[in-house]
Amino acid sequence: MIAYYNGQFLESDKIQISPFDRGFQFADGAYEVVRYYPNKFFEFDAHMERLKYSLSQLDISSVNIERFQEIFVELIQKNELFDQSSIGYIQITRGVQFPRRHSPDPVISPTIFMYVEKLSPNKETHANGVTVGLGEDIRWIRCDIKSISLLANILTKKGAVDKGVYEIVWSRNGFITEGTHTNVAFVKNNVVITPPLNSFILAGITRKVVLKLCDELKLQHEERNISVEELNTMDECFLMATTSEITPVVKIASSTFRTGAPGKVTMLLQKEFQKNIHRNKLM
Ligand SMILES: Cc1ncc(COP(=O)(O)O)c(C=O)c1O
C-alpha cells in the first residue's frame, strides 16, 4: 500500500515513525476520516473544517490542510482504488520530541500520515439493522475534539464485540451521548430526535447531513437531551457515521423498536442519504 508521510508518498512498510513521536508517547494528536465513493468525496470540506477545529483546540498549528484533497486523490490513484468505495485516514500528531516532557516543545513540527483503505457499504446491516448495547460514557469531557486518544472507545467497542452487538451507545449522568464511533438518533411520533451538540459528543458530519435531509423532507427534528428511561418510548433508532452511514437499530439493550425491524423514517432517511451521496460528483 502507498501511504503519505510528511510530504512523501511511500510504500507503507517503508515508513518509519519515531518512537519519540508525541502521538506514540502521549496520544497527542487529532485525526479525521473521509469517505470516497467512486468519483466523489463525501462532505470533504466539512471534514476539513472539523479537522481544523480539532487541531486548533489542541493548539497544533502549521498544518497545510488545503492540500489534503489532492493528496487523497493521489493516494486513491496510486492504490488503484479509483472505481471503488474507500475510506481515508489523516493522522496528525504534534511531532517528535526528545527528551520526553509533558509540555510541548514549541519548535517541533507536526507528523502527518495519510492512507486509504477499501471499504464497501455494509448492505446487510443497512437493510436489516443492528442490535446495540448501552453503557456508561467513560470518556473525558472534550469529546468534541477528534483526538487520537481512543482508549475508552476501543475498550467499549471491544465490550460490544464480546457481547455480540454492533455498537455500544453511551450515556452520561442518565442522558444519551453517542456511540463509540457513531452518533445516534431516535424517532418518536415521526419526529427525529438526537442529542444536542456540546463537548460530550463529536459533531458528526453524517449527523449534520441527516438534519439537513430532515429539513428537505419536511421531517420535524429536535436536538435535545434524551434520558435513558425515555428509550422504551421511542419508535425507531439509527446510527450515523462516515463509516456506518445510516444504520438502523432494531434493539437497544432491552428496548426493541416496533417489531424488531428497521423503522419507516429511518429507511426513508437512508434512501435519501444514498441519493445525496451521488447527487453531485465533485471530481
Ligand atoms: C465518537 C464518534 N461519534 C460520532 C462519529 C460520527 O461522525 P461522522 O459522521 O463525522 O463520521 C464518529 C466517527 O468516527 C465517532 O468516532
Side-chain angles (χ1 to χ4, degrees):
M1 183 220 280
I2 307 283
Y4 173 92
Y5 170 62
N6 284 352
Q8 284 181 292
F9 291 91
L10 297 165
E11 278 294 342
S12 58
D13 57 4
K14 299 279 182 308
I15 294 173
Q16 293 182 331
I17 297 181
S18 165
F20 298 107
D21 193 288
R22 292 183 62 93
F24 183 60
Q25 295 280 345
F26 301 112
D28 184 0
Y31 77 111
E32 196 50 60
V33 186
V34 296
R35 188 92 190 237
Y36 170 80
Y37 297 96
N39 235 1
K40 185 186 190 304
F41 286 106
F42 175 70
E43 297 285 329
F44 197 88
D45 293 346
H47 281 281
M48 292 309 103
E49 279 309 309
R50 187 171 67 191
L51 178 58
K52 276 187 207 161
Y53 174 76
S54 297
L55 291 172
S56 73
Q57 295 303 297
L58 301 183
D59 203 13
I60 294 178
S61 53
S62 69
V63 176
N64 184 7
I65 286 173
E66 311 315 317
R67 278 210 60 219
F68 284 178
Q69 182 157 341
E70 239 175 85
I71 294 169
F72 270 127
V73 171
E74 208 161 328
L75 283 173
I76 287 163
Q77 281 165 344
K78 286 187 191 306
N79 289 288
E80 295 174 7
L81 287 169
F82 209 75
D83 300 328
Q84 298 181 55
S85 295
S86 62
I87 192 103
Y89 288 88
I90 307 169
Q91 304 286 135
I92 300 179
T93 76
R94 200 180 300 277
V96 177
Q97 181 174 348
F98 183 84
R100 177 189 163 124
R101 294 287 180 272
H102 275 63
S103 58
D105 181 338
V107 303
I108 58 174
S109 43
T111 300
I112 303 174
F113 176 57
M114 293 165 66
Y115 65 102
V116 286
E117 260 179 38
K118 189 176 159 195
L119 183 77
S120 307
N122 191 331
K123 290 194 181 126
E124 207 276 317
T125 55
H126 287 171
N128 301 324
V130 296
T131 297
V132 310
L134 280 177
E136 191 61 36
D137 202 330
I138 56 168
R139 296 174 297 168
W140 70 333
I141 51 170
R142 289 305 308 277
C143 307
D144 53 322
I145 301 171
K146 205 164 167 67
S147 149
I148 60 170
S149 171
L150 289 170
L151 258 190
N153 307 56
I154 288 161
L155 290 179
T156 307
K157 178 70 187 191
K158 182 181 175 302
V161 172
D162 292 346
K163 277 199 199 121
V165 295
Y166 181 84
E167 174 67 303
I168 298 288
V169 168
W170 279 311
S171 65
R172 199 186 279 270
N173 300 325
F175 292 96
I176 297 296
T177 54
E178 61 183 339
T180 66
H181 63 298
T182 55
N183 289 117
V184 62
F186 298 87
V187 182
K188 186 173 179 174
N189 301 326
N190 292 321
V191 180
V192 175
I193 310 167
T194 193
L197 291 185
N198 52 37
S199 67
F200 299 134
I201 70 168
L202 185 74
I205 308 301
T206 316
R207 175 189 180 280
K208 188 182 74 144
V209 170
V210 165
L211 293 178
K212 189 187 85 184
L213 290 176
C214 286
D215 284 335
E216 287 176 17
L217 293 166
K218 305 213 170 349
L219 272 173
Q220 229 179 300
H221 55 84
E222 291 174 3
E223 293 172 73
R224 67 159 169 89
N225 289 325
I226 301 160
S227 71
V228 173
E229 289 84 62
E230 238 189 298
L231 293 193
N232 56 16
T233 70
M234 297 293 184
D235 301 326
E236 302 179 25
C237 175
F238 59 92
L239 303 173
M240 302 167 278
T242 301
T243 46
S244 305
E245 301 175 331
I246 295 181
T247 297
V249 173
V250 293
K251 191 167 184 237
I252 183 163
S254 60
S255 309
T256 304
F257 300 105
R258 298 211 192 269
T259 53
K264 263 197 338 226
V265 174
T266 303
M267 293 316 260
L268 172 66
L269 283 167
Q270 195 191 70
K271 198 171 101 201
E272 290 302 311
F273 185 81
Q274 290 302 322
K275 276 198 223 156
N276 185 71
I277 287 173
H278 300 289
R279 202 183 279 171
N280 26 4
K281 303 230 181 279
L282 285 184
M283 298 163 52

